[in-house]
């Protein structure tokens, strides 16, 4: 099998591989440091990694993969109950951490190995590992129960990263900058393993800020990965920051993911920089499914086309396939391909429920497809598909319409029971001026003019802020009853 990181074994050199703040490693130094880790964890099976935004996390994960073991990234912000569940479920043999990192009680019971970033030892050869062998066990957010461990095989990582290289024309010449956490597939697989598979480099900001984006894109970085919260901050900063606008204008690729980027942020960034942000769509269990190509149309509100090797279909509640490419017919996204996870660890019931009899994964996301095949996600089936007055309505398009109103800062849309309509549309709005929110009727009419009368909110509730998780996704289940 082709190694995951050919550049580590094919004449590793002084070319830069990783940089976190002022600390960096060349490919030769990374190969040596990760090789030391590999030698210490070989045969361990599963290895927990205390996933801080640091060189040690990146070196640790690469070392685990070189050893043929599976890494279990741990979110340092997780509570003790959640950590206890993850460790009990995954049963790692040991934990990797940066020297001096303080670990909470559930983790302290594991044998600990401090990751030494030295770059001086001779790297051992990587293990010959089958493509179906586990590479990562990444735990889902657990919104409907305890987090489930998605077992991601080496095959899925290679397939996804190679498909993205095709879609984004990603090469060893690219320098990626981001400030994403390293316990999710976005920051870890795409943001660290992606550049290393290509033989390029990554500069991690540690903590995201627009000054760091300006600095890195002005000094050789070619790509920026972020989530909508980050791009919103960029859009807010652009009018008063010409250096930021110039830096973004010079980037080869600006990519947003993990949640939908509001249309008005797309437009503000494009107007200030002349560059459009491209979006992609993936999830823990599937890695990446679709992306707007580097040579395609960066159309706001869409996540592009299925990646090479990924089959995608939309399905009705009764199992029938939605064939219409009309931008209106809603169905659940199901996918099939080499990018898929293997199973939920220790959960054969959940694994079986997640797949159809013929191997399609039920994503739980609902979408429409435009006439040219572009996918437009309208929300989660469980929380964002609203059935009102005989219509199926995606919350996402209403949220985007609300965000186009100048007096709306943030918006979320849900459905609640209604005796007449089945469900009525409820808008949760953070007004730009909390002292003078826009009238409910004005927001309802605003949506009706942009979309259709049956998509207008019937109820508007004003909040100071929307509940969000680490990746900037709105947690609708946490909205007040």
């Amino acid at each position: 099998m082709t190694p995951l990181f050919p550049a580590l074994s094919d004449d590793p050199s002084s070319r830069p591989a990783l940089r976190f703040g002022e600390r960096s490693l060349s490919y030769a130094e990374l190969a040596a440091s990760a090789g030391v880790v590999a030698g210490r964890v070989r045969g361990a099976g599963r290895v927990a990694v205390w996933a801080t935004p640091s060189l040690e996390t990146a070196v640790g994960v690469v070392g685990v993969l070189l050893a043929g073991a599976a890494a279990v990234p741990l979110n340092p912000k997780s509570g003790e109950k959640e950590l206890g569940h993850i460790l009990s479920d995954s049963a790692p043999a040991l934990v990797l951490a940066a020297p001096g990192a303080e670990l909470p009680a559930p983790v302290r019971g594991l044998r600990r190995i401090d990751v030494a970033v030295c770059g001086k030892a001779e790297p051992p050869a990587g293990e010959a590992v089958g493509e179906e062998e586990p590479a990562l066990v990444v735990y889902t957010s657990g919104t409907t129960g305890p987090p489930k461990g998605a077992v991601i095989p080496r095959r899925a990582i290679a397939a996804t990263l190679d498909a993205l290289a095709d879609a984004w024309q990603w090469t060893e010449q690219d320098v990626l900058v981001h400030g994403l956490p390293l316990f999710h597939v976005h920051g870890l697989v795409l943001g660290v393993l992606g550049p290393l598979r290509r033989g390029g480099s990554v500069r991690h900001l540690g903590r995201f800020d627009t000054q760091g984006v300006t600095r890195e894109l002005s000094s050789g970085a070619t790509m920026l990965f972020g989530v909508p919260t980050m791009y919103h901050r960029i859009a807010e900063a652009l009018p008063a920051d010409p250096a930021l606008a110039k830096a973004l204008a010079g980037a080869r690729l600006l990519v947003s993911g993990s949640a939908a980027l509001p249309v008005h942020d797309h437009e503000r960034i494009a107007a200030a920089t002349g560059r459009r942000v491209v979006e992609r769509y993936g999830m823990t269990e599937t890695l990446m499914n679709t992306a707007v190509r580097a040579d395609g149309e960066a159309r706001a509100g869409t996540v592009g086309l299925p990646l090479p090797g990924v089959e995608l279909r939309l399905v009705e509640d009764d199992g029938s396939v939605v064939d219409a490419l009309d931008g209106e017919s809603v169905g659940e996204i199901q996918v099939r391909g080499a990018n898929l996870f293997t199973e939920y660890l220790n959960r054969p019931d959940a694994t079986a429920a997640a797949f159809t009899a013929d191997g399609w994964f039920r994503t739980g996301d609902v979408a429409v497809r435009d006439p040219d095949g572009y996918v437009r996600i309208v929300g989660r089936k469980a929380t964002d598909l609203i059935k009102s007055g005989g219509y199926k309505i995606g919350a996402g398009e209403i949220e985007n319409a609300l965000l186009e109103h100048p007096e709306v800062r943030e918006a979320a849309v849900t459905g609640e029971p209604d005796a007449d309509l089945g469900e009525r549309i409820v808008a949760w709005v953070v007004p730009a001026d909390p002292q003078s929110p826009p009238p409910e009727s004005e927001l309802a009419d605003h949506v009706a003019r942009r979309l259709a009368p049956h998509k207008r909110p019937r109820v508007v509730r004003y909040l100071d802020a929307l509940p969000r998780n680490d990746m900037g996704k709105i947690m609708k289940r946490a909205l007040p009853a």
Side-chain angles (χ1 to χ4, degrees):
M1 175 187 172
T2 304
L4 283 174
F5 313 113
L8 289 181
S9 53
D10 297 348
D11 186 30
S13 67
S14 60
R15 288 185 300 112
L18 301 169
R19 194 173 85 195
F20 284 72
E22 299 301 315
R23 305 169 66 213
S24 63
L25 288 177
S26 68
Y27 269 90
E29 292 166 335
L30 173 59
S33 295
V36 171
V37 172
R40 298 189 70 183
V41 306
R42 186 164 280 112
R46 287 190 286 271
V47 177
V49 180
W50 192 244
T52 57
S54 64
L55 272 178
E56 285 80 7
T57 296
V59 169
V61 171
V62 172
V64 171
L65 296 178
L66 288 179
V72 185
L74 301 179
N75 177 359
K77 295 182 180 179
S78 291
E80 292 196 0
K81 182 178 180 181
E82 183 172 284
L83 283 172
H85 164 74
I86 291 171
L87 295 175
S88 172
D89 190 56
S90 61
L94 54 94
V95 61
L96 299 177
E102 185 175 348
L103 304 182
V107 186
R108 289 199 294 270
L110 292 174
R111 180 165 71 93
R112 172 174 176 161
I113 293 178
D114 285 345
V115 176
V117 179
C118 55
K120 296 178 181 177
E122 185 68 25
E127 293 288 296
V129 186
E131 63 178 12
E132 293 301 320
E133 291 298 311
L136 299 170
V137 181
V138 182
Y139 279 77
T140 62
S141 57
T143 54
T144 58
K148 299 189 292 289
V151 179
I152 301 173
R154 300 169 76 91
R155 166 257 304 160
I157 293 175
T160 283
L161 295 179
D162 291 349
L164 288 176
D166 176 88
W168 292 339
Q169 300 168 10
W170 195 350
T171 75
E172 71 278 0
Q173 301 302 316
D174 280 305
V175 178
L176 171 64
V177 59
H178 71 87
L180 297 162
L182 301 188
F183 45 85
H184 286 296
V185 297
H186 190 174
L188 180 60
V189 177
L190 273 63
V192 173
L193 306 186
L196 297 181
R197 183 161 175 82
R198 301 272 67 81
S201 63
V202 58
R203 301 176 186 174
H204 197 285
L205 296 173
R207 185 177 179 85
F208 174 85
D209 60 56
T210 56
Q211 292 84 1
V213 170
T214 301
R215 180 184 67 247
E216 300 302 342
L217 289 179
S218 300
S219 59
T222 62
M223 302 165 66
L224 172 66
F225 287 0
V227 297
T229 300
M230 297 173 180
Y231 280 105
H232 177 73
R233 292 175 186 168
I234 286 172
E236 292 279 290
L238 277 169
D241 194 342
L244 176 61
K246 182 178 179 183
L248 292 166
R252 187 179 74 77
L253 200 65
L254 308 174
V255 182
S256 181
S258 296
L261 180 62
V263 172
H264 76 301
D265 284 337
H266 269 286
E267 299 305 331
R268 289 196 293 171
I269 292 169
T273 69
R275 300 303 309 273
R276 286 200 166 269
V277 179
V278 303
E279 294 189 77
R280 86 299 179 282
Y281 161 60
M283 54 196 308
T284 302
E285 294 91 337
T286 68
L287 300 185
M288 293 302 111
N289 299 309
T290 73
V292 174
R293 297 182 60 89
D295 56 1
E297 180 189 352
R299 190 183 310 155
T302 69
V303 293
L305 299 165
L307 288 167
V310 177
E311 296 178 80
L312 182 147
R313 69 184 186 184
L314 303 184
V315 178
E316 292 271 15
D317 289 342
D318 63 4
S320 59
V321 176
V322 178
D323 292 320
L325 300 177
D326 57 7
E328 288 289 336
S329 300
V330 176
E332 181 191 13
I333 300 173
Q334 296 183 355
V335 293
R336 190 166 63 177
N339 58 314
L340 294 187
F341 76 130
T342 306
E343 62 176 344
Y344 291 117
L345 188 65
N346 304 321
R347 291 291 304 276
D349 55 336
T351 304
F355 288 90
T356 66
D358 50 352
W360 292 85
F361 176 70
R362 300 180 171 102
T363 67
D365 292 314
V366 288
V368 300
R369 297 192 76 174
D370 291 340
D372 58 2
Y374 265 45
V375 177
R376 200 151 41 84
I377 296 169
V378 297
R380 291 288 293 167
K381 186 176 181 180
T383 57
D384 296 325
L385 184 61
I386 302 166
K387 297 177 181 179
S388 182
Y391 294 98
K392 287 188 194 175
I393 303 164
E397 60 179 341
I398 304 173
E399 290 163 355
N400 266 327
L402 287 166
L403 288 168
E404 291 173 12
H405 191 286
E407 295 179 55
V408 173
R409 182 180 298 278
E410 295 183 85
V413 169
T414 59
E416 65 182 23
D418 183 275
D420 180 43
L421 297 169
E423 286 186 289
R424 58 178 170 267
I425 298 168
V426 179
W428 304 80
V429 170
V430 178
D433 180 0
Q435 304 305 316
S436 180
E440 293 187 28
S441 59
E442 181 180 324
L443 294 179
D445 291 344
H446 171 84
V447 171
R449 286 194 301 271
R450 276 160 175 73
L451 300 177
H454 67 271
K455 297 179 182 180
R456 66 193 305 137
R458 305 289 173 152
V459 179
V460 178
R461 298 189 176 126
Y462 297 100
L463 298 173
D464 294 330
L466 296 177
R468 295 180 183 271
N469 66 12
D470 288 329
M471 299 299 285
K473 292 182 181 178
I474 298 169
M475 298 187 294
K476 294 189 176 180
R477 296 181 190 275
L479 289 166

